[in-house]
Amino acid sequence: MTIDDAPRDALRGGPRELLRWVATGAAVSRADLSRLSGLSPSTVSQRVEALISQGLLEETGAGRSRGGRRPRQLAVPTGGAVVGAIDLGAHHARVGALDLSGRVVQARTLPVRIEDGPEAVLGALLAEVATLVGSGPAADGGSASGALRGVGIGIPGPVQHATGRIVSPSRMPGWNGFDVAAFCAGRVDVPVIVDNDANLMALGAHRTAHPELDHAIYIKAGTGIGSGVISSGRLHRGAQGSAGDISHCRVVADPAPPCTCGNAGCLEAVASGAALVTALREQGVPVSDLTGVIRLIDDGDRQATALARQAGRAVGEILAVVVNFFNPQVVAIGGRLADCEPLLASMRATLYERCLPLATQTLLIERVAAGQDVGITGAAHLVIDHVVAPA
């Protein structure tokens, strides 16, 4: 059994959790870690020494005495080691350098043309990561300068997580079958971990907002639609990495709009940002992209608002099946459509209508509140979980 497969209770006091407690300020000494974990002082000390030897923790001096010897204080190095993160979208990418606590040190948003192909797009983004890692002080007084420990990359399409290879993406011409991990590993001498963007949003949002919850569903609704699943406190990918892919669940019977996957009536074909753009154009509304759709909805346009409500119902119908089956504690929606109130209200109403009362009794239905850095935060935690190996 690997640390990724272990039950959550078995990980209490493991290296990742010790690092997280120090990073969040919950613990500043070995005694604090022993108290929080329930482990013996000797076990905690052994694990702390292993983290120090890896450069993941450091001792910063003596703390306040509580009647005995003054404890040595612990901290996560802020300038000595960093993580590179890339959250790739259809038209833009968020690139960042984060420290080992998952804190964003430097980040930038860059325009991309996904149709330029994987070599050109990824090559440019990796160069930007190198620039951020080697740059000077950040706006908050921190610095991204340090030793790169790994790079996490989110892809807006299906990813076979075990290999880092893209499998039949809908809107990424020239990317099918591309080995992202191998390409990037040939350009950076650190671990490169690849996952789909919805999973990284789920991981980033969960670690930021709800680390205490065990079961959650996070939906990313933008140009496309996807979701990430948190089960027993960890990201659940399934056998091949496709767990949470709700985009091609069927919600409309024939005749129905064709989907990019070749079928008809899929959720993505009727409720994604791209679907809303297409539907408005077919109704004679001159809209060029999702930004234009959101502007129309904000202005109270009747056609755009009606389509947003229909999209919310479609998303809610699929999520109702998921909620009844999985029984999560929270359903949170992120992405550009998360700020579309008619869609969110319709989704919430459909969930309450279609789900069993027991499933919604304490269910939180909310927006992802982590902001534009949620994807790169998830990418960073993916790398941190990899480099913080069990002792």
Side-chain angles (χ1 to χ4, degrees):
M1 178 183 294
T2 66
I3 194 167
D4 284 327
D5 298 323
R8 190 175 191 182
D9 289 345
L11 299 182
R12 186 162 186 83
R16 294 180 193 171
E17 194 159 25
L18 298 184
L19 180 65
R20 181 173 62 82
W21 280 328
V22 175
T24 58
V28 296
S29 68
R30 288 169 173 80
D32 290 340
L33 292 174
S34 182
R35 174 177 51 81
L36 288 168
S37 66
L39 298 173
S40 68
S42 60
T43 300
V44 167
S45 183
Q46 183 183 37
R47 295 183 178 182
V48 166
E49 291 299 328
L51 290 169
I52 291 174
S53 68
Q54 296 177 60
L56 303 174
L57 283 180
E58 64 182 6
E59 293 179 326
T60 59
R64 179 180 299 176
S65 172
R66 295 182 179 178
R69 188 172 57 184
R70 296 174 69 190
R72 288 173 291 175
Q73 289 188 300
L74 300 170
V76 173
T78 56
V82 293
V83 175
I86 298 171
D87 183 19
L88 178 62
H91 306 291
H92 297 86
R94 187 72 172 167
V95 180
L98 298 88
D99 64 24
L100 289 172
S101 70
R103 180 183 67 93
V104 177
V105 181
Q106 299 246 50
R108 295 175 187 166
T109 299
L110 304 171
V112 297
R113 284 171 41 90
I114 206 79
E115 62 271 22
D116 287 344
E119 291 94 344
V121 171
L122 293 172
L125 295 178
L126 287 173
E128 189 64 28
V129 167
T131 299
L132 290 178
V133 170
S135 63
D140 63 358
S143 173
S145 182
L148 184 65
R149 299 299 296 261
V151 179
I153 302 176
I155 300 292
V159 174
Q160 191 176 48
H161 176 70
T163 65
R165 191 180 295 274
I166 301 176
V167 182
S168 301
S170 298
R171 295 184 176 87
M172 303 176 70
W175 290 70
N176 183 37
F178 189 76
D179 193 334
V180 176
F183 174 83
C184 296
R187 285 156 178 77
V188 292
D189 190 25
V190 292
V192 176
I193 307 177
V194 186
D195 212 327
N196 74 67
D197 58 346
N199 277 350
L200 295 192
M201 187 200 75
L203 187 60
H206 193 71
R207 296 282 176 90
T208 302
H210 294 297
E212 77 287 354
L213 300 183
D214 288 325
H215 310 296
I217 302 292
Y218 294 91
I219 304 97
K220 185 171 185 179
T223 301
I225 290 183
S227 76
V229 179
I230 300 294
S231 178
S232 297
R234 62 184 179 87
L235 190 60
H236 176 72
R237 297 186 179 89
Q240 295 293 326
S242 66
D245 190 349
I246 61 174
S247 57
H248 301 294
C249 294
R250 194 173 188 181
V251 290
V252 180
D254 291 331
C259 182
T260 54
C261 71
N263 289 316
C266 297
L267 181 64
E268 186 165 298
V270 300
S272 67
L276 295 180
V277 170
T278 299
L280 282 171
R281 286 175 177 172
E282 290 175 350
Q283 294 181 20
V285 179
V287 61
S288 59
D289 54 23
L290 182 53
T291 299
V293 174
I294 294 173
R295 187 181 300 116
L296 287 172
I297 295 170
D298 289 342
D299 290 342
D301 180 85
R302 178 178 58 83
Q303 291 167 287
T305 300
L307 286 172
R309 292 190 182 281
Q310 292 173 18
R313 281 194 292 273
V315 174
E317 287 176 5
I318 296 300
L319 288 180
V321 177
V322 175
V323 168
N324 280 329
F325 177 79
F326 181 57
N327 190 201
Q329 294 156 295
V330 59
V331 170
I333 182 169
R336 298 187 65 195
L337 285 176
D339 292 327
C340 177
E341 188 57 42
L343 185 148
L344 186 62
S346 186
M347 181 193 83
R348 181 182 285 112
T350 304
L351 276 173
Y352 282 123
E353 176 188 345
R354 299 292 181 90
C355 291
L356 295 170
L358 184 60
T360 57
Q361 194 172 55
T362 60
L363 179 67
L364 299 173
I365 304 173
E366 61 188 27
R367 291 185 177 92
V368 170
Q372 65 178 342
D373 288 333
V374 64
I376 60 173
T377 299
H381 279 289
L382 203 64
V383 175
I384 294 166
D385 287 352
H386 177 78
V387 301
V388 183

